[in-house]
Amino acid sequence: MANVTLRNVRKVYPGGFEAIKGIDIEVGDGQFCVLVGPSGCGKSTLLRMVAGLETITSGEIDIGGRIVNAIEPADRDIAMVFQNYALYPHMSVYNNMAYGLRNRRVPEAEIKTRVEDAARILELGTMLERKPRQLSGGQRQRVAMGRAIVRKPKVFLFDEPLSNLDAKLRIAMRVEIRKLQRRLNTTAIYVTHDQLEAMTLADILVVMNGGKVEQIGNPLEIYQRPATTFVASFIGAPPMNLMPIEGVRAQLHGADAVPAEAGQLGIRPEDFELADTVPAGGIGLDLRVDAIEHVGAETYVYGARQGSDSQDSLIAAANDVIVRLPGTAAPDIGARIRAVAPRGKLHLFSVDGRQRLPI
Amino acid sequence: MVEHRPLRDLVAYLVLSLGVVIFAFPVYVAFVASTYDAATVVSGNLPLVPGGRMLENYYRAVFVGGSRFMNQPVGVLLVNSFITAIGIAVGKIIISILSAFAIVYFRFPFRKTAFWIIFITLMLPVEVRIYPTYKVVADLRMLDTYAGLILPLIASATGTLLFRQFFMTVPDELLEASRIDGAGPLRFFWDTLLPLSMTTVAALFVIQFIYGWNQYLWPLLITTKDSMQTIVIGIKKMLTTTDELAEWQLAMATAVLAMLPPVAVVIFMQRLFVKGLVETEK
């Protein structure tokens, strides 16, 4: 049980590359914090710094009221689950879980109880004598979690633990991880590049980009009120439509009320409707249907805005707008449609996209 | 690509069999020669079927000794060779696995330099550095000792490289998991790296055992007492005669005996290889 606090944490590699550019995060006791961002944004580096596998250039990392900057990974009271599981290939499942405890000189009887408890929770009871290579991917994943659980750490660290699993198993394990963490009520920090995983797991979501935090908050709050265009396009699938305000001024009702510094307008695909009349203060876009994706429950329409440059281009340009429609909708390619959205669903950003503006 | 073509198979088998015959025939002749008396062997008309003096020849070789110039029985030489070869193989494995561990897993000043120096020694076989090595061993009063036979030969660049390459394929996460599990560097080495390296150890053991067993020049130089000689030297000395008949039948018996331990090592270790290959997974 512990809070984890990062205070102005920076990481500069010997070559001068600044991987982490000053990050402050506060994770409360028992909370599930997810770090999400594109590859190379520094999320794994940050997690490894919390684990003690990477040194901290400056700033402080505090686990349970103790500054751990100079403390060895083994003494930080953390447990980590790796992307490739990192199970010891030559040891049985039992020994894989017991190894860390033996190194801590926990009595053998206690080890046995803890390992058997963990095995019961994870339904690994019949596999304790097997070697990792005799297990399926999902079972290996559970052994890796078992190894973390038996330690009874203050903090669980997960480094993209599900990315080696197939899609179906990934969803099942995602739910398992969440349930397990709730049950044990242990603080967790979880790294992923999958925004869906991030949304579903997180109590606190940290969106990172280029070694910096773009936004921290509750997942729904981030989804509903993204602070930057980066967050807006990263969280949510398909991504939010972003368009320069100048191009759509004519279609936007009450454009005069838009702040002068506004540069970009964002609308989520799911906030559109097909209608002839534009709601008061809302926006109405006339689109030519370029492509359609049926995914069953819903249909995504890729449309080119009337009067925009991308009319004749085959490549989805920045001017393309994605509209989500119910699964039953099936407009023809080339058809003209009018997609409208109410004012409450519009997002306004500054020209550089770094700032959210009121609308 | 596995195709079944009877004619091709037949040709392949014929060629392979021919190869086997070519390689095995001299060994067979050596064995046959070890079962006759000296006169028959030297006469040049050696029959192709074994003669009747096998037990007598082998008994003399193992327990009595050969010519006047070679008065130690082969049994002693076999023991010498065995100790030397085991010492060299084990010593090489210990030294090279530890140096590879240091080079791969520790960041110390001149790490790269150390690696390249080890690498360069690959280009300097014993024969090239024989004089300085002899001088050092002689000054340390290690002539006619097992230490003298073994120590100069146990530094191994080949082994270090082999282990280095293997260690580089071990995922970093295993080291990191060990660190989080509270294992220090030596514990990681002992509990994780060594068990994973067993296949490589077995392979290196076979190669180095045979290398040690077949050493000729170095034992020839530093042993002066007959009782410290290795079997390879023994065979040579048995044939050194002045004006009497060389006892070829004893030399051949000794040669056959000298072949057996390396063959045994290969056969025994081969099982470990296969086991290791099947069971290890990185």
Side-chain angles (χ1 to χ4, degrees):
Chain A
M1 309 302 114
N3 300 330
V4 178
T5 312
L6 278 65
R7 287 186 211 100
N8 197 20
V9 170
R10 287 175 70 245
K11 171 82 189 177
V12 182
Y13 282 106
F17 173 67
E18 195 174 7
I20 303 289
K21 299 169 180 167
I23 282 186
D24 295 274
I25 299 175
E26 168 113 41
V27 186
D29 185 17
Q31 279 187 317
F32 201 111
C33 168
V34 176
L35 308 179
V36 69
S39 331
C41 71
K43 56 191 190 299
S44 280
T45 309
L46 191 63
L47 187 79
R48 292 164 56 80
M49 287 161 80
V50 177
L53 299 171
E54 298 272 357
T55 55
I56 300 159
T57 310
S58 70
E60 281 176 356
I61 294 181
D62 178 317
I63 298 177
R66 185 170 62 137
I67 291 174
V68 295
N69 285 35
I71 295 176
E72 276 292 303
D75 303 323
R76 290 189 180 193
D77 225 342
I78 48 115
M80 186 152 169
V81 177
F82 294 87
Q83 179 174 352
N84 64 4
Y85 321 134
L87 302 177
Y88 308 112
H90 56 292
M91 294 186 196
S92 67
V93 168
Y94 183 95
N95 286 335
N96 259 288
M97 293 203 246
Y99 185 62
L101 298 176
R102 289 205 181 113
N103 287 338
R104 282 183 177 68
R105 312 204 185 289
V106 175
E108 230 15 80
E110 161 106 26
I111 293 178
K112 195 165 184 306
T113 330
R114 286 207 209 175
V115 171
E116 281 169 0
D117 280 352
R120 206 181 46 246
I121 296 174
L122 296 165
E123 292 170 22
L124 288 169
T126 55
M127 296 166 200
L128 288 177
E129 293 314 311
R130 297 206 196 158
K131 296 272 174 69
R133 76 191 149 80
Q134 296 166 305
L135 303 177
S136 69
Q139 289 165 342
R140 286 181 205 185
Q141 176 62 58
R142 290 216 291 271
V143 176
M145 295 212 294
R147 192 164 65 178
I149 293 173
V150 295
R151 296 266 308 277
K152 298 191 176 164
K154 283 183 183 157
V155 184
F156 286 134
L157 305 176
F158 297 93
D159 190 0
E160 309 211 13
L162 303 183
S163 46
N164 281 3
L165 300 176
D166 63 60
K168 212 169 168 183
L169 204 50
R170 202 177 304 164
I171 295 172
M173 290 305 293
R174 191 170 81 201
V175 178
E176 262 183 56
I177 288 182
R178 191 63 176 117
K179 278 202 267 185
L180 193 65
Q181 189 266 346
R182 283 260 161 77
R183 175 167 170 178
L184 301 170
N185 198 25
T186 304
T187 313
I189 302 179
Y190 187 106
V191 162
T192 181
H193 59 264
D194 179 346
Q195 60 93 21
L196 189 62
E197 227 169 271
M199 289 290 292
T200 50
L201 284 170
D203 294 319
I204 313 172
L205 184 57
V206 180
V207 184
M208 290 180 64
N209 185 30
K212 279 183 162 164
V213 170
E214 289 277 331
Q215 192 173 2
I216 299 187
N218 169 296
L220 276 184
E221 190 184 295
I222 289 181
Y223 174 81
Q224 284 159 358
R225 295 179 55 81
T228 65
T229 50
F230 175 81
V231 177
S233 56
F234 195 81
I235 298 293
M240 181 186 282
N241 297 299
L242 290 166
M243 48 204 100
I245 193 105
E246 284 319 311
V248 293
R249 208 170 262 280
Q251 284 83 30
L252 180 62
H253 288 199
D256 308 342
V258 168
E261 65 269 35
Q264 299 184 61
L265 180 74
I267 311 163
R268 291 206 180 271
E270 53 269 39
D271 291 335
F272 278 118
E273 264 183 333
L274 295 192
D276 289 332
T277 49
V278 180
I283 192 167
L285 297 173
D286 291 317
L287 304 173
R288 191 197 60 204
V289 177
D290 275 355
I292 299 174
E293 284 177 348
H294 292 286
V295 289
E298 49 215 33
T299 301
Y300 299 116
V301 173
Y302 292 75
R305 285 206 319 271
Q306 300 284 12
S308 76
D309 308 335
S310 72
Q311 281 272 17
D312 299 315
S313 166
L314 271 181
I315 298 157
N319 289 339
D320 256 11
V321 174
I322 307 174
V323 177
R324 193 190 74 175
L325 298 176
T328 49
D332 295 326
I333 304 279
R336 312 268 159 175
I337 57 171
R338 167 168 279 199
V340 303
R343 194 167 190 91
K345 299 291 188 185
L346 304 184
H347 306 260
L348 213 53
F349 300 97
S350 60
V351 178
D352 61 2
R354 303 287 316 153
Q355 204 188 341
R356 183 185 175 85
L357 300 168
I359 186 162
Chain B
M1 200 175 67
V2 183
E3 278 183 72
H4 190 69
R5 290 196 191 161
L7 187 68
R8 244 190 216 192
D9 283 1
L10 191 68
V11 173
Y13 275 107
L14 278 179
V15 172
L16 285 174
S17 308
L18 188 69
V20 169
V21 169
I22 291 173
F23 277 106
F25 189 68
V27 178
Y28 178 71
V29 171
F31 170 70
V32 171
S34 71
T35 60
Y36 285 93
D37 61 311
T40 317
V41 180
V42 176
S43 72
N45 294 321
L46 188 67
L48 276 179
V49 285
R53 305 193 53 170
M54 182 173 160
L55 287 180
E56 185 198 331
N57 288 344
Y58 279 83
Y59 178 82
R60 266 190 67 200
V62 176
F63 297 106
V64 183
S67 65
R68 297 186 284 116
F69 295 90
M70 186 55 237
N71 55 20
Q72 286 295 323
V74 173
V76 172
L77 304 186
L78 276 175
V79 169
N80 287 344
S81 271
F82 201 73
I83 292 175
T84 310
I86 292 270
I88 290 174
V90 171
K92 273 194 188 243
I93 287 169
I94 292 175
I95 293 223
S96 53
I97 201 169
L98 286 177
S99 48
F101 180 56
I103 284 174
V104 175
Y105 287 100
F106 293 87
R107 305 274 168 275
F108 52 89
F110 305 113
R111 188 171 66 102
K112 282 253 165 68
T113 321
F115 174 72
W116 283 109
I117 289 173
I118 292 173
F119 194 77
I120 285 169
T121 61
L122 261 184
M123 292 146 207
L124 295 172
V126 180
E127 289 72 17
V128 177
R129 53 185 163 88
I130 199 100
Y131 176 74
T133 312
Y134 182 88
K135 173 79 173 132
V136 169
V137 169
D139 288 353
L140 290 173
R141 299 185 188 285
M142 288 201 295
L143 298 182
D144 281 323
T145 62
Y146 288 124
L149 279 168
I150 294 168
L151 288 181
L153 298 176
I154 65 171
S156 169
T158 327
T160 308
L161 284 177
L162 202 66
F163 282 118
R164 174 181 178 269
Q165 291 316 109
F166 173 73
F167 289 168
M168 308 253 276
T169 67
V170 174
D172 286 344
E173 282 86 351
L174 274 187
L175 171 66
E176 289 168 353
S178 294
R179 281 182 70 191
I180 291 176
D181 271 342
L186 285 178
R187 202 144 253 296
F188 168 68
F189 175 76
W190 192 253
D191 286 345
T192 305
L193 214 47
L194 197 59
L196 291 180
S197 310
M198 280 331 271
T199 321
T200 315
V201 169
L204 201 62
F205 183 84
V206 170
I207 297 166
Q208 301 303 356
F209 181 88
I210 292 168
Y211 166 84
W213 188 268
N214 288 341
Q215 278 301 313
Y216 178 73
L217 183 59
W218 183 248
L220 183 67
L221 279 179
I222 75 143
T223 53
T224 51
K225 287 190 222 151
D226 284 350
S227 65
M228 283 306 294
Q229 268 156 10
T230 61
I231 192 148
V232 178
I233 308 293
I235 297 171
K236 170 73 179 70
K237 285 213 173 168
M238 279 181 182
L239 303 174
T240 314
T241 53
T242 43
D243 51 2
E244 61 189 17
L245 212 54
E247 295 200 87
W248 278 98
Q249 81 284 17
L250 294 190
M252 288 303 114
T254 311
V256 170
L257 288 172
M259 266 186 299
L260 294 181
V263 170
V265 164
V266 169
I267 289 173
F268 175 71
M269 283 294 174
Q270 198 178 21
R271 287 165 59 195
L272 263 188
F273 279 159
V274 176
K275 206 171 152 220
L277 287 176
V278 175
E279 282 197 353
T280 347
E281 184 194 323
K282 283 170 264 172

